[in-house]
């Protein structure tokens, strides 16, 4: 039986905790995905293909304005374009200058406008809010060789809801040293779902890249599709250096998540993220806001 539950989120800008919930996207808040027939159906790649085609159709554009009004999205922050489909609206771009990244080299800006958990390091026997097994670097990165550099290092998990800006940006200058796509299912990703199905992050569709950055060492950067997001699109050429704040790629329609692994003692998530995480409270950060520091 389906059991969607709202999620507690602390907003750094308002300094308040609110219950994150979208009644028009209940499956993204499912706490027991294995027991939900809807989750099973929507996690199938064939369903994802069909649903994605629907969201790319011209017919889907009629959903845009009601969605904007219901969720109070400030469209003045985004480029003024005419969206021909719901998916075009979903991958909308900010106007130039609407979000900025830190100028200080040792400060890492939020690579996505999302809800964050963070750890100095993840213990294998960790139980709450996310089981340590769920954040195993080897399982998520896809190989023991990739994971070796990140053993006992910091970890961040960012969850993007359907209402969010779904483009991803680089947290620093650097280059891509390894890139891989790992096919999989599309279970929802939230901490309650990970409590009940700890292997979600190993099973879902994901894009894995190792980033060699100027100020934060190596990063294991993993974009994970979740609930009708089978397409993680990389817009930056993998053979070209990248700059801090530059667009990396985007998620097509749905919910999604990003896991970032760091080398031991290379950087530390912000104090509010670290404080809220053991309480099961995500920290909402806008793109470019301080998320960690070296």
């Amino acid at each position: 039986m389906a059991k969607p539950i709202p999620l507690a989120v602390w907003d750094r800008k308002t300094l308040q905790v609110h219950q994150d919930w979208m009644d028009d996207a209940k499956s993204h808040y499912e706490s027991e995905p294995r027991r939900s027939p809807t989750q099973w159906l929507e996690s199938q790649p064939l369903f994802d293909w069909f649903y994605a085609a629907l969201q790319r159709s011209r017919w889907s554009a009629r959903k845009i304005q009601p969605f904007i009004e219901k969720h109070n999205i400030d469209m003045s922050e985004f480029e003024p374009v005419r969206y021909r489909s719901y998916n075009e609206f979903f991958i909308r771009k900010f106007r130039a200058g609407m979000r900025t990244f830190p100028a200080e080299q040792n400060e890492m800006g939020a690579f996505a406008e999302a809800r964050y958990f963070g750890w100095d390091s993840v213990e294998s026997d960790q139980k709450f809010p996310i089981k340590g097994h769920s954040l195993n670097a080897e399982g998520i990165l896809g190989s023991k060789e990739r994971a070796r550099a990140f053993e006992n290092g910091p970890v961040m998990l960012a969850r993007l809801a359907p209402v969010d800006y779904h483009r991803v940006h680089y947290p620093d200058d650097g280059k891509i040293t390894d890139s891989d796509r790992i096919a999989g299912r599309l279970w929802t990703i939230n901490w309650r779902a990970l409590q009940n199905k700890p292997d979600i992050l190993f099973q879902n569709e994901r894009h894995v890249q190792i980033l060699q950055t100027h100020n934060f060492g190596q990063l294991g950067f993993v974009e994970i599709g979740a609930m009708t997001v089978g397409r993680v699109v990389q817009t930056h050429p993998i053979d070209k250096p990248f700059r801090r704040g530059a667009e990396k790629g985007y998620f097509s329609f749905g919910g999604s998540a990003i896991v970032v692994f760091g080398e031991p003692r290379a950087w530390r998530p912000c104090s509010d993220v670290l404080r809220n995480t053991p309480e099961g409270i995500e920290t909402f950060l806008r793109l470019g806001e301080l998320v960690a520091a070296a």
Side-chain angles (χ1 to χ4, degrees), residues 13-224:
K13 186 175 182 179
T14 64
L15 302 180
Q16 293 181 337
V17 174
H18 68 272
Q19 294 299 309
D20 184 48
W21 175 254
M22 295 175 63
D23 61 8
D24 50 354
K26 292 180 181 179
S27 59
H28 296 279
Y29 302 89
E30 180 57 56
S31 60
E32 298 182 6
R34 285 181 295 189
R35 300 181 63 185
S36 168
T38 301
Q39 280 277 308
W40 182 88
L41 174 64
E42 294 185 2
S43 71
Q44 304 296 321
L46 183 60
F47 178 90
D48 171 67
W49 178 88
F50 171 78
Y51 200 72
L54 188 64
Q55 302 310 316
R56 291 195 299 267
S57 70
R58 290 186 178 274
W59 175 88
S60 67
R62 70 181 67 184
K63 301 193 304 180
I64 296 173
Q65 192 57 38
F67 188 87
I68 291 171
E69 293 173 1
K70 180 171 184 174
H71 297 289
N72 299 312
I73 298 173
D74 183 0
M75 293 305 295
S76 69
E77 294 187 329
F78 299 95
E79 293 181 351
V81 299
R82 182 175 179 272
Y83 301 111
R84 295 168 296 178
S85 70
Y86 191 81
N87 191 63
E88 285 191 2
F89 161 73
F90 188 80
I91 59 173
R92 60 195 179 274
K93 292 185 177 183
F94 280 125
R95 289 176 184 263
M98 288 306 304
R99 299 291 188 270
T100 58
F101 276 67
E104 296 296 326
Q105 291 189 344
N106 70 316
E107 295 182 348
M108 183 188 297
F111 38 84
E113 190 137 327
R115 298 137 185 81
Y116 287 79
F117 279 144
W119 299 264
D120 279 324
S121 65
V122 174
E123 304 299 329
S124 60
D125 60 352
Q126 174 181 292
K127 302 297 183 186
F128 184 84
I130 294 174
K131 294 178 181 179
H133 169 68
S134 295
L135 292 167
N136 175 270
E138 181 180 341
I140 296 174
L141 293 169
S143 79
K144 184 178 295 186
E145 183 179 353
R146 286 195 194 109
R148 189 173 294 117
F150 308 112
E151 186 175 350
N152 299 319
V155 184
M156 289 188 289
L157 171 62
R159 176 180 65 87
L160 289 75
V163 72
D164 292 328
Y165 170 79
H166 264 72
R167 291 180 181 266
V168 182
H169 294 247
Y170 289 107
D172 197 20
D173 297 351
K175 63 180 180 179
I176 300 166
T177 60
D178 188 13
S179 184
D180 193 15
R181 173 184 175 273
I182 302 174
R185 298 278 287 276
L186 294 167
W187 297 101
T188 192
I189 298 174
N190 64 68
W191 71 261
R192 288 195 179 94
L194 286 164
Q195 282 278 316
N196 289 294
K197 186 172 171 49
D199 60 352
I200 288 174
L201 298 179
F202 312 148
Q203 290 194 353
N204 277 28
E205 170 90 16
R206 57 201 187 275
H207 280 223
V208 176
Q209 291 189 339
I210 305 302
L211 310 181
Q212 182 63 55
T213 68
H214 287 191
N215 298 291
F216 306 107
Q218 285 192 97
L219 300 177
F221 202 101
V222 187
E223 292 140 299
I224 305 171

Side-chain angles (χ1 to χ4, degrees), residues 269-288:
C270 287
S271 58
D272 53 358
V273 176
L274 291 172
R275 180 181 66 247
N276 291 331
T277 295
E279 303 299 322
I281 300 173
E282 296 168 305
T283 300
F284 179 70
L285 298 177
R286 288 152 186 85
L287 180 70

